[in-house]
């Protein structure tokens, strides 16, 4: 027989559930090595803890190098609430294409240790560590067991197959050679 699935994940027989279905030795207290843009997101979701299935929550630790960023991205299935554990972060999001005068309004704030900021579901947002000398660390709680993440530049310039440079040149109102250069940067990073 086929196992029962909810939200794409197998549901365990409640009589067979144990503490390990709700546990992960995640070491979220330990610093992480950051990537090319100066961040590292360690997400704990339903793929790491099976017991999160149907509970609608996940958590992430985000490490930021000095001048590092978690670049503009969205979570298509979750609102995020972020708190700074160490350092300072400049954060912000852009509202949706609402009628004027609030069309694509940019809301931002500088957060210090202990401060909290909310990024509504699906909106493009980012975090940036403005300090050139000290790293920063934050914890984010997300309102989905599988929030998803779409990093804007990676998705647009590093898609497979590539989006036509004619389409992107018109959309961004730049020359095609600029789009070709951007695609080459992201293609190399995403596909090697």
């Amino acid at each position: 027989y086929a196992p029962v699935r909810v939200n794409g994940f197998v549901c365990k027989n409640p009589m067979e559930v144990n503490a390990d279905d709700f546990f992960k030795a995640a070491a979220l207290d330990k610093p992480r090595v950051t990537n090319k843009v100066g961040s590292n997101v360690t997400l704990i979701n339903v793929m790491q803890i099976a017991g999160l299935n149907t509970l609608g929550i996940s958590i992430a630790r985000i490490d930021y190098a000095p001048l590092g960023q978690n670049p503009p991205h969205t979570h298509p299935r979750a609102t995020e609430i972020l708190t700074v554990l160490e350092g300072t972060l400049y954060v912000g999001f852009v509202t949706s294409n609402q009628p004027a005068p609030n069309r694509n309004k940019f809301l931002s704030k500088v957060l210090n240790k202990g401060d909290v900021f909310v990024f509504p579901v699906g909106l493009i947002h980012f975090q940036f560590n403005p300090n050139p000398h000290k790293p920063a660390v934050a914890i984010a709680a997300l309102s989905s067991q599988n929030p998803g993440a779409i990093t804007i530049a990676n998705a647009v310039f590093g898609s497979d197959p590539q989006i036509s440079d004619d389409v992107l040149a018109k959309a961004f109102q730049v020359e095609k050679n600029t789009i070709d250069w951007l695609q080459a940067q992201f293609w190399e990073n995403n596909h090697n």
Side-chain angles (χ1 to χ4, degrees):
Y1 81 99
V4 174
R5 292 181 177 270
V6 175
N7 299 324
F9 298 93
V10 174
C11 282
K12 195 170 189 180
N13 179 333
M15 302 305 286
E16 297 171 9
V17 169
N18 63 58
D20 287 337
D21 295 316
F22 300 88
F23 171 80
K24 178 167 183 68
L28 289 184
D29 60 323
K30 305 286 190 264
R32 305 300 205 271
V33 175
T34 57
N35 61 21
K36 182 177 179 179
V37 295
S39 65
N40 185 326
V41 178
T42 305
L43 177 65
I44 306 299
N45 65 9
V46 69
M47 285 165 252
Q48 288 80 38
I49 300 178
L52 284 175
N53 196 20
T54 75
L55 298 184
I57 59 169
S58 55
I59 191 169
R61 175 192 170 111
I62 309 140
D63 290 84
Y64 309 85
L67 301 177
Q69 69 171 307
N70 188 4
H73 63 283
T74 71
H75 301 292
R77 296 178 293 276
T79 291
E80 174 181 343
I81 186 167
L82 178 129
T83 187
V84 177
L85 298 181
E86 294 294 334
T88 299
L89 292 175
Y90 170 56
V91 305
F93 69 88
V94 180
T95 63
S96 60
N97 294 341
Q98 304 172 37
N102 290 325
R103 183 181 359 253
N104 298 323
K105 187 173 184 179
F106 176 55
L107 303 173
S108 67
K109 198 83 174 157
V110 173
L111 306 180
N112 295 301
K113 184 176 180 175
D115 290 345
V116 175
F117 198 79
V118 174
F119 305 104
V121 63
L123 297 183
I124 296 171
H125 62 283
F126 69 90
Q127 301 101 37
F128 173 72
N129 177 4
N131 191 313
H133 306 291
K134 293 183 181 177
V137 179
I139 290 286
L142 298 114
S143 65
S144 172
Q145 66 187 19
N146 186 12
I150 301 167
T151 304
I152 307 307
N154 287 350
V156 172
F157 300 113
S159 67
D160 185 10
Q162 292 182 333
I163 299 170
S164 161
D165 59 1
D166 289 320
V167 169
L168 295 179
K170 186 166 187 144
F172 287 95
Q173 300 177 32
V174 298
E175 299 294 323
K176 284 202 292 187
N177 61 351
T178 301
I179 297 298
D180 293 340
W181 183 85
L182 286 165
Q183 285 179 320
Q185 306 311 302
F186 286 92
W187 184 263
E188 182 180 308
N189 291 334
N190 290 345
H191 302 286
N192 284 334

